[in-house]
Amino acid sequence: MKGARRLFVALVSIALIGCFSEAELGSAQALCPPADDFRAVNNVLERRCGTLDCHGSPYRPFIVFGQTAYRRPDLSHIDNPNYFPGGLEATTDHEVRGTYESACGLEPEEMDAVVRGEGKAESLSIVRKPRLQSKHKGGRIWGAGTTEGDRCILTWLTGALEKEACKNELRVP
Amino acid sequence: MRRWFETLHRGHALVLLSGLLVGACQSPTNDDKIDALGGECQSVAESEFHRAGQPCLLCHDTYEGADPHMSVAGTIFATPNIPMPVADAKVTLTDANGTQISTTTNCIGNFQIETADWRPAFPLHAEIECPIPGSEDRRRLVMGTRISRDGSCAGCHFGPPSNKSPGWVYCAATMPDPPYEVDPNCAGICTETSQ
């Protein structure tokens, strides 16, 4: 009898877990650097990291969305004949948001610590990998502190985005 | 002309299906990807004419080791919606050191560059020059973004355009008049009817 009751409680709990809405689960969000102006960062990530054979792929933990990268599945664009990588539809806000969420979700605890000023931005994979300070299949994209792209990412993480640096990175093909 | 069209179409259905299968499991391995491509068409020899439209390097790389080893390979088609192969299209690749190499497609639209001839430094820049039926002119199409590491054009270019792919590499937005044609004696035409 006791066993049956326990089973009942367990089943009800499972059913309840299934009912939690996204908003309820999302309430335990980790902090992330500002989303405003992330488009400037997205432009750099799209160019340097977002080709379809690299992070422009749904199979990577870090996904880059955009006009020339992976296009974020989006019902409002389902009939848009230009919604494909290289299509005329420019990178959408929904895509910028997608890359932002992917970057934030990569190492949420570490990112949270960086935003709270308790961790170093230099310890995050999004900084270390392109510098090849950690193992990176895509090799070295830029050197530590030597390019505008590195600066663009770093200043975004520390909350004082230098949009000029992001723009300058795009001057190099 | 209809026959190969249907068979090629089926080939693409396979590639698309493989994409779905690979997408279904979160840790795609090369084996899964290769299995998903399906078997050889019995009427086409394992040769430069086989598996048009497929990611050649999945097999012709150090992983699977099928000879010859290739650094870059792919297939050029007529239009975004008509997967008719285009012969004699020139493909030019430039690597990160500025080294350039060109080759042309065979009658089933395939081309390949072997590692014995070229070991490029990625990223690569790609462009093609397509013949125009009934004309001496050629049409140049330049890829704006770079290839970061996948030497198979079909690694990115597969099926019609979708949110994951610009679609297969093609020569014209719509079929020109006169149209592209395939040599009926081409060794790459798959005549197999059941599979």
Side-chain angles (χ1 to χ4, degrees):
Chain A
M1 191 62 217
K2 211 167 169 195
R5 211 160 120 191
R6 245 186 235 156
L7 183 66
F8 177 75
V9 171
L11 283 177
V12 168
S13 321
I14 290 171
L16 277 179
I17 289 171
C19 295
F20 276 134
S21 73
E22 239 177 85
E24 280 168 289
L25 288 176
S27 60
Q29 258 174 15
L31 294 174
C32 191
D36 343 321
D37 295 332
F38 187 74
R39 184 174 279 272
V41 182
N42 199 81
N43 290 342
V44 170
L45 296 173
E46 198 176 327
R47 176 81 65 84
R48 294 285 174 257
C49 329
T51 56
L52 303 174
D53 51 354
C54 292
H55 293 280
S57 160
Y59 308 122
R60 291 279 119 69
F62 173 46
I63 307 173
V64 174
F65 299 93
Q67 184 174 12
T68 58
Y70 178 46
R71 305 240 56 169
R72 193 174 188 190
D74 175 358
L75 286 180
S76 65
H77 285 96
I78 208 153
D79 295 324
N80 183 337
N82 269 300
Y83 200 63
F84 59 87
L88 294 177
E89 182 72 42
T91 300
T92 64
D93 290 341
H94 187 57
E95 287 169 336
V96 173
R97 185 75 202 178
T99 311
Y100 174 79
E101 282 166 3
S102 182
C104 295
L106 206 54
E107 297 165 314
E109 290 94 348
E110 290 83 347
M111 189 69 112
D112 186 87
V114 168
V115 176
R116 281 187 289 102
E118 288 165 18
K120 273 185 111 60
E122 286 85 350
S123 66
L124 296 171
S125 287
I126 200 170
V127 175
R128 295 180 57 83
K129 296 234 174 197
R131 290 175 171 185
L132 201 54
Q133 291 169 338
S134 307
K135 187 172 156 284
H136 185 221
K137 185 104 187 206
R140 186 168 173 276
I141 310 300
W142 45 54
T146 60
T147 71
E148 305 274 359
D150 186 66
R151 210 171 161 66
C152 169
I153 308 287
L154 212 55
T155 55
W156 169 61
L157 289 168
T158 51
L161 176 64
E162 286 179 18
K163 280 209 271 182
E164 227 20 60
C166 307
K167 233 185 247 153
N168 289 338
E169 176 64 30
L170 299 178
R171 296 228 168 89
V172 191
Chain B
M1 178 176 130
R2 236 186 110 63
R3 178 88 74 58
W4 66 258
F5 178 85
E6 281 166 3
T7 47
L8 259 182
H9 226 85
R10 202 174 57 210
H12 277 90
L14 276 173
V15 174
L16 278 178
L17 186 65
S18 77
L20 290 176
L21 289 175
V22 168
C25 48
Q26 285 301 303
S27 61
T29 64
N30 286 349
D31 290 330
D32 290 344
K33 288 189 191 167
I34 291 168
D35 287 351
L37 291 177
E40 294 285 330
C41 168
Q42 293 307 311
S43 66
V44 179
E46 286 179 337
S47 65
E48 61 169 295
F49 303 106
H50 79 152
R51 296 184 175 271
Q54 296 193 2
C56 318
L57 269 71
L58 260 190
C59 305
H60 291 281
D61 199 355
T62 42
Y63 173 75
E64 180 77 1
D67 274 332
H69 288 188
M70 301 173 184
S71 43
V72 186
T75 311
I76 313 278
F77 294 104
T79 80
N81 299 306
I82 306 178
M84 175 191 268
V86 174
D88 192 37
K90 184 176 173 193
V91 181
T92 302
L93 300 152
T94 312
D95 81 351
N97 298 329
T99 324
Q100 224 174 46
I101 195 163
S102 291
T103 186
T104 47
T105 55
N106 63 21
C107 61
I108 204 71
N110 282 354
F111 74 91
Q112 83 258 3
I113 292 163
E114 300 179 12
T115 48
D117 298 322
W118 202 48
R119 281 182 181 278
F122 285 86
L124 308 183
H125 169 87
E127 63 176 83
I128 62 175
E129 274 174 50
C130 292
I132 300 172
S135 160
E136 292 296 303
D137 293 340
R138 290 189 155 252
R139 179 154 189 260
R140 183 164 171 258
L141 292 107
V142 179
M143 178 164 146
T145 56
R146 305 302 162 94
I147 300 169
S148 300
R149 62 193 175 101
D150 191 346
S152 295
C153 306
C156 299
H157 291 275
F158 52 88
S162 73
N163 73 314
K164 308 185 171 55
S165 174
W168 49 71
V169 183
Y170 58 83
C171 283
T174 53
M175 190 57 101
D177 182 20
Y180 285 105
E181 276 174 21
V182 182
D183 175 355
N185 297 316
C186 179
I189 297 176
C190 182
T191 54
E192 199 178 293
T193 43
S194 64
Q195 194 185 325

